[in-house]
Amino acid sequence: RLLCAVAALGLMLAHVWIWTHPELLENVARRQWTVGDSALLQFGPGNRLLGAVVSLPSLLVALVGLWQLWRLFGCYARGLVFAAEPVRRLHSVGWAVTALAPLLPLSQTFAVLALSWNNPPGTRLLVFTVSSEHYLALLFGLVLLAMARIMQEAQRVAQENAEFI
């Protein structure tokens, strides 16, 4: 659970840090968002604020996923494994990870667009990049959803067996 809390805090701090430091943001745009010519981007306060806002959905989904994971580990700490609550939590984590797969590249696309929004027509940037990390997030999310379904079935069987005793 501690790692979930550290990750959530780290994500929030990183979001604020990146969008409030133009030099760092330029480095991220050039290296991670595959923007070759960062001279086409504007790092003024308005552009950065717009970029921070359009990148919020992926941050919020990640935080929801971490919150659900926190709650899932709390269930396990209380000895709840095949109960309804941990199955719901695992299902929610799976949906959050699955949702991040398309949200992350879209968030990057909108962030780059926000940073070039004030450019004259024809010089705005639209960058869409899908990486193996996004694909792996999709696969991992789907695996978590499948595990939640298996756990739900195990819960049903355990409940059925308990009724025989």
Side-chain angles (χ1 to χ4, degrees):
R1 290 181 90 182
L2 177 63
L3 292 176
C4 291
V6 168
L9 182 62
L11 284 174
M12 290 184 290
L13 290 175
H15 186 80
V16 170
W17 188 260
I18 286 171
W19 290 105
T20 57
H21 290 80
E23 308 81 25
L24 177 61
L25 181 58
E26 182 177 359
N27 191 24
V28 168
R30 193 176 337 102
R31 293 180 188 213
Q32 293 181 5
W33 297 344
T34 62
V35 175
D37 187 6
S38 59
L40 292 174
L41 300 178
Q42 298 183 23
F43 299 99
N47 295 86
R48 287 183 292 142
L49 178 61
L50 182 59
V53 169
V54 298
S55 62
L56 275 178
S58 59
L59 174 65
L60 294 175
V61 169
L63 291 174
V64 165
L66 285 167
W67 172 249
Q68 293 299 322
L69 192 59
W70 166 280
R71 302 284 306 268
L72 175 65
F73 289 150
C75 291
Y76 292 160
R78 293 189 316 269
L80 298 173
V81 178
F82 295 112
E85 183 182 356
V87 172
R88 267 194 331 272
R89 302 292 177 207
L90 183 61
H91 191 259
S92 296
V93 171
W95 273 117
V97 173
T98 302
L100 280 173
L103 270 177
L104 289 173
L106 285 173
S107 181
Q108 293 171 357
T109 298
F110 292 141
V112 170
L113 189 57
L115 293 175
S116 65
W117 192 252
N118 294 338
N119 291 354
T123 59
R124 292 184 181 135
L125 292 179
L126 184 63
V127 176
F128 184 76
T129 306
V130 177
S131 73
S132 60
E133 294 167 358
H134 303 130
Y135 182 71
L136 288 174
L138 175 64
L139 289 179
F140 185 64
L142 293 174
V143 165
L144 290 175
L145 288 170
M147 289 174 57
R149 178 68 179 107
I150 292 167
M151 296 285 288
Q152 186 178 29
E153 183 62 21
Q155 175 196 12
R156 187 194 63 75
V157 169
Q159 186 176 14
E160 187 177 292
N161 287 341
E163 291 174 0
F164 287 125
I165 296 177

